[in-house]
């Protein structure tokens, strides 16, 4: 854990860019798989291959829909600062750094490990309303809130 000062809008822009890159990568995979499925011979011998490709395309479409949901949900978050933890807060505890926004998981920003967590996550729910100096325990791990943006 390095810096103790960060710009919330920079973290948000970084998360947004991660989501955009994941969407672009997935769209390229889908395009490639669709192209490949068109090239598979239309004989019964290749039916199982075509079915597997269709299943793969279906799974990628579900992932794409989830990523677009993350994008929409991130756009709804207002960058306001508060002394109390809420949706959009960046929280530094003695154990980790959290951005309460969308469920993206672990990411690295300016050399620090962060966790983008949804407001619905147990971690976010237990932290909501707390402020610097408060502590909480989740899964037998005690944490103290050091900073809130």
């Amino acid at each position: 854990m390095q810096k103790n000062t960060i710009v919330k809008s920079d973290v948000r822009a970084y998360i947004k860019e991660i989501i955009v890159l994941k969407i672009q990568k997935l769209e390229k995979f889908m395009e490639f798989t669709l192209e490949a499925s068109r090239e598979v011979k239309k004989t019964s011998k290749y039916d199982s291959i075509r079915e597997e490709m269709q299943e793969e395309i279906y799974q990628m479409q579900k992932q794409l829909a989830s990523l677009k949901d993350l994008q929409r949900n991130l756009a709804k978050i207002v960058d306001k600062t508060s002394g109390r933890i809420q949706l959009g807060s960046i929280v530094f505890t003695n154990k980790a750094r959290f951005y309460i926004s969308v469920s993206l998981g672990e990411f690295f920003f300016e050399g620090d490990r962060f966790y983008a967590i949804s407001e619905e996550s147990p971690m976010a729910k237990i932290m909501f309303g707390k402020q610097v100096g408060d502590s909480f325990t989740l899964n037998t791990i005690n944490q103290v809130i050091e900073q809130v943006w």
Side-chain angles (χ1 to χ4, degrees), residues 40-115:
V40 173
K41 294 180 181 177
K42 303 284 190 219
T43 64
S44 59
K45 180 179 175 181
Y46 297 102
D47 283 349
S48 64
I49 293 171
R50 279 194 302 280
E51 285 176 23
E52 286 179 29
M53 291 175 127
Q54 287 302 321
E55 179 61 29
E56 187 68 27
I57 291 167
Y58 173 72
Q59 293 301 325
M60 285 189 276
Q61 287 171 333
K62 284 175 40 177
Q63 290 174 8
L64 187 60
S66 294
L67 287 169
K68 291 194 178 205
D69 281 345
L70 288 180
Q71 221 173 18
R72 279 190 294 278
N73 292 339
L74 186 62
K76 295 177 187 175
I77 297 171
V78 180
D79 276 340
K80 59 182 177 181
T81 55
S82 169
R84 296 203 176 269
I85 298 171
Q86 61 189 1
L87 179 62
S89 291
I90 292 179
V91 182
F92 284 24
T93 72
N94 62 323
K95 305 275 187 203
R97 289 153 171 30
F98 302 94
Y99 179 40
I100 303 174
S101 55
V102 294
S103 182
L104 191 63
E106 180 184 69
F107 67 98
F108 290 86
F109 180 76
E110 294 185 359
D112 280 339
R113 178 188 317 228
F114 282 81
Y115 297 93

Side-chain angles (χ1 to χ4, degrees), residues 2-72:
Q2 297 177 356
K3 284 174 65 170
N4 283 341
T5 58
I6 56 169
V7 179
K8 190 188 297 192
S9 60
D10 290 348
V11 174
R12 182 179 174 167
Y14 185 73
I15 294 284
K16 188 176 181 180
E17 183 63 22
I18 289 172
I19 294 170
V20 166
L21 291 172
K22 285 181 179 239
I23 287 172
Q24 289 172 347
K25 185 177 181 181
L26 194 55
E27 286 173 339
K28 285 180 185 174
F29 280 138
M30 283 178 56
E31 184 180 319
F32 174 79
T33 306
L34 278 168
E35 237 178 81
S37 71
R38 288 186 200 112
E39 293 176 13
V40 173
K41 294 180 181 177
K42 303 284 190 219
T43 64
S44 59
K45 180 179 175 181
Y46 297 102
D47 283 349
S48 64
I49 293 171
R50 279 194 302 280
E51 285 176 23
E52 286 179 29
M53 291 175 127
Q54 287 302 321
E55 179 61 29
E56 187 68 27
I57 291 167
Y58 173 72
Q59 293 301 325
M60 285 189 276
Q61 287 171 333
K62 284 175 40 177
Q63 290 174 8
L64 187 60
S66 294
L67 287 169
K68 291 194 178 205
D69 281 345
L70 288 180
Q71 221 173 18
R72 279 190 294 278

